[in-house]
Amino acid sequence: MNGDTESIKNTIVDVIDQNKGQDIVTFDVQNKTVIAKYMIIASGDSSRHVKALAEHVMKNLKQYDKIDVEGMDEGNWVIVNFQGIMVHLFRPEVREYYKIEELWN
């Protein structure tokens, strides 16, 4: 893999921030789970915005290999999973409902 996980995580956070993603939170979860090293959680203000954020993230990762994405159809909760970094993008009310931050805090 070119680039370490830490710098890729920072790139993803920057991309979300530049595209007006809100309430960006990052968790280092490598000691809590095997599914990821980092969780990044952010909100978009509509399903269209959530999908756009996911597309921006994927566009910035396209130089790397495998990127998994789920939830692009509805755009309520999109997960972009890449090299140990799991990005959760929500509409605010969906994020509020699932409260996944509380799982990792």
Side-chain angles (χ1 to χ4, degrees):
M1 169 173 162
N2 347 9
D4 62 312
T5 310
E6 178 83 17
S7 64
I8 293 167
K9 174 196 62 138
N10 295 336
T11 299
I12 293 170
V13 169
D14 289 345
V15 166
I16 294 170
D17 188 46
Q18 286 158 12
N19 290 283
K20 298 185 171 51
Q22 294 126 14
D23 301 322
I24 305 167
V25 188
T26 308
F27 295 103
D28 180 335
V29 296
Q30 42 205 338
N31 299 324
K32 298 181 181 176
T33 178
V34 296
I35 60 169
K37 291 182 178 153
Y38 294 106
M39 294 276 172
I40 300 170
I41 302 170
S43 300
D45 48 24
S46 64
S47 54
R48 175 188 243 149
H49 187 208
V50 168
K51 290 194 249 188
L53 288 171
E55 282 163 9
H56 288 299
V57 167
M58 291 187 297
K59 195 172 74 191
N60 276 272
L61 297 176
K62 71 177 185 294
Q63 72 208 67
Y64 304 106
D65 46 0
K66 195 162 162 26
I67 302 169
D68 291 318
V69 63
E70 292 170 48
M72 286 296 271
D73 294 344
E74 296 83 20
N76 293 320
W77 176 358
V78 177
I79 300 173
V80 180
N81 192 2
F82 169 76
Q83 304 265 3
I85 302 171
M86 203 174 254
V87 184
H88 297 269
L89 301 165
F90 290 98
R91 285 191 304 111
E93 55 274 32
V94 178
R95 181 175 179 171
E96 180 58 34
Y97 179 80
Y98 286 103
K99 295 182 169 29
I100 70 166
E101 276 104 320
E102 293 175 14
L103 296 174
W104 302 107
N105 249 344

